[in-house]
Amino acid sequence: MKNLIQSPADVLQWTNDTGSAVASGDAIVLRSGNAGKIGVAVTDIADGQTGAVAIKNRVVELPALTGTAFADAVVLYWDDTNGRLTNVATGNTLAGSAAQAKASAAAVAELLLND
């Protein structure tokens, strides 16, 4: 197809302008807010460089709020201030949904990246 730019569309090329390196597996806020979007770095991306970021159709394990259980398929948000998933929408960025339930004491959660 002559107008195809990138396939598959579940990974995009992102230029790191954060001022610091991003490690493979780190969450990246691509668009903030309750209607926002996060991605997860597929590779290490040095500041000023471009690298692959998964944006949908991927299950990833990320740090999560402890003291709160997440039900399977509950909507989750990325708390960029604390670097973790939460079920609190206010002040956080839409991340996706829980790929499986998380116990209250668990420090990580499986996230299905949102579309």
Side-chain angles (χ1 to χ4, degrees), residues 13-14 60 67 87:
Q13 294 298 306
W14 172 77
V60 295
N87 59 347

Side-chain angles (χ1 to χ4, degrees), residues 10 43 69 87 97 99 103 111:
D10 57 343
T43 61
N87 59 347
S97 57
L111 172 76

Side-chain angles (χ1 to χ4, degrees), residues 18-59:
T18 64
S20 58
V22 171
S24 176
D26 283 356
I28 300 165
V29 175
L30 301 171
R31 183 179 64 243
S32 63
N34 292 341
K37 180 110 181 125
I38 73 162
V40 175
V42 175
T43 61
D44 294 341
I45 308 170
D47 186 45
Q49 299 300 306
T50 299
V53 175
I55 59 168
K56 67 177 185 174
N57 299 327
R58 302 283 175 104
V59 175

Side-chain angles (χ1 to χ4, degrees), residues 65 68-70 74-77 85-89:
L65 175 67
T68 302
F70 299 155
V74 70
V75 175
L76 295 175
Y77 300 86
L85 292 168
T86 179
N87 59 347
V88 177

